[in-house]
Amino acid sequence: MAPVPPADLQLPADVAAAVSDRKTDILGHGPAASRLALPWWNRTLTDSGLGRFSVTSDPNGSGELQLTRGSLFGLATAVGPDTDDDAYLNLLWHILAWGSGPKVRNNGRRIAAFADPAEARANVALLRQSAEHARSGNTADAYRTLIRPGKAAIPYLGPSFFTKYLYFAGNGAASHPCVILDERVAISLHHAGWSSLPPRRANWYTATYVAYCELLARWADELTTSATHVAPDQIERALFNQAG
């Protein structure tokens, strides 16, 4: 049975107190260029026959010196049903670089999943389908598209990273239903009272992810006032920070 949170699970007071302004805490959140393994990314892409891509801290050409959630939202606006495969891959590389920071663990294997043209087409098709489901509000099918029993649908692109992709596919809309779920967030939720949630599991069930997104949406609604709107991703970041 998929672990789901208790129906009456409350947002811990210290997490609620850590929720701050979305413009600065979310849109401006990301590593500086010096904290990104940019030389490794561009060298590895070139060595894999994917040298047409360039990973940078300024993917939108606006003079940014750090790769932020806001810049990834901007990059995601270039992705849609009518765009070519490279737009999806360019977004994916930048999301992986953002999420990995100075670390490169498993990213070589993730790149390798797109080195063969036939495999790349099949895997980009999954990225397309999952993004369309996410943008239409179908959280379950968005997640289900990228997961398989005991493994990820795209090699080494597990939930901790593909939920980042589903999240950024929302273009930054505060109402976007898909939220990032990674180990640190799961640890905080486990400590908050979701005792059935395995914090260090490689793959979470689809029903668990849907329940998680619904939980954060409920908590965000509870914190929202007539003066201040709170979005689920603000809760996600507060949970992530709490585990640190």
Side-chain angles (χ1 to χ4, degrees):
M1 181 178 295
V4 296
D8 59 350
L9 184 63
Q10 298 300 306
L11 178 64
D14 54 349
V15 177
V19 173
S20 59
D21 177 68
R22 189 169 189 262
K23 183 176 180 180
T24 56
D25 201 40
I26 298 298
L27 301 184
H29 171 229
S34 61
R35 294 285 296 165
L36 297 169
L38 297 179
W40 179 91
W41 274 99
N42 292 310
R43 181 177 65 252
T44 305
L45 286 167
T46 297
D47 291 346
S48 302
L50 297 166
R52 64 188 183 276
F53 295 102
S54 177
V55 178
T56 172
S57 61
D58 186 23
N60 302 300
S62 56
E64 295 171 304
L65 299 177
Q66 67 180 112
L67 186 60
T68 64
R69 294 193 190 209
S71 56
L72 290 173
F73 290 143
L75 196 61
T77 62
V79 171
D82 298 326
T83 55
D84 61 20
D85 287 1
D86 280 4
Y88 286 86
L89 286 176
N90 190 45
L91 175 62
L92 179 64
W93 306 144
H94 282 87
I95 290 172
L96 293 175
W98 174 85
S100 301
K103 301 176 182 178
V104 298
R105 181 176 179 268
N106 285 332
N107 282 323
R109 290 167 168 169
R110 293 169 184 139
I111 290 172
F114 296 90
D116 176 80
E119 290 182 10
R121 284 192 295 272
N123 289 332
V124 171
L126 294 175
L127 295 177
R128 285 181 180 274
Q129 292 167 19
S130 62
E132 290 172 9
H133 288 311
R135 287 175 169 176
S136 69
N138 191 335
T139 307
D141 283 347
Y143 188 92
R144 189 180 292 119
T145 298
L146 296 176
I147 198 73
R148 298 291 181 270
K151 62 180 182 179
I154 298 173
Y156 295 94
L157 189 66
S160 287
F161 276 92
F162 79 61
T163 59
K164 292 177 175 64
Y165 174 79
L166 298 180
Y167 165 69
F168 284 111
N171 298 356
S175 59
H176 184 62
C178 294
V179 196
I180 298 170
L181 176 59
D182 61 17
E183 182 178 297
R184 284 182 54 160
V185 172
I187 288 171
S188 288
L189 288 168
H190 188 83
H191 291 160
W194 189 349
S195 58
S196 65
L197 181 68
R200 302 184 188 279
R201 185 187 180 97
N203 294 316
W204 292 283
Y205 290 100
T206 298
T208 297
Y209 180 68
V210 172
Y212 160 72
C213 292
E214 292 174 346
L215 175 66
L216 264 60
R218 172 169 69 82
W219 281 347
D221 285 343
E222 290 171 357
L223 289 183
T224 294
T225 67
S226 58
T228 305
H229 181 270
V230 175
D233 57 0
Q234 294 170 260
I235 309 269
E236 169 262 311
R237 180 146 193 237
L239 289 166
F240 180 90
N241 290 341
Q242 192 69 16

